[in-house]
Amino acid sequence: MPFKLACGDVMPGCSARFENDTRQALLAEVAGHASADHDLHEITPDVLAQVESRIVAC
C-alpha cells in the first residue's frame, strides 16, 4: 500500500510531494527534503508528529 505526503500540508508554500511503498521509506525521503530544502537538520518530535499526521495511506 503506497503512502503519500504533500510537504505543503506541513510547510505552507512548498509544492513537493512524496509517495513511497513504505511509511519508513517515505519518512526518509521527507527527512532528506526537509534538510536540503527547508534547512531542518533535526526532526523534532513535534515536527515528526505533524508529518505523520499528514501521511495518507492509499
Side-chain angles (χ1 to χ4, degrees), residues 20-58:
N20 212 302
D21 289 333
T22 69
R23 191 178 197 90
Q24 199 84 348
L26 179 77
L27 288 171
E29 276 187 88
V30 170
H33 167 73
S35 177
D37 296 330
H38 298 296
D39 204 29
L40 287 174
H41 302 288
E42 180 182 344
I43 305 301
T44 64
D46 285 346
V47 171
L48 181 59
Q50 287 180 26
V51 168
E52 287 191 333
S53 74
R54 301 297 198 283
I55 293 174
V56 176
C58 302

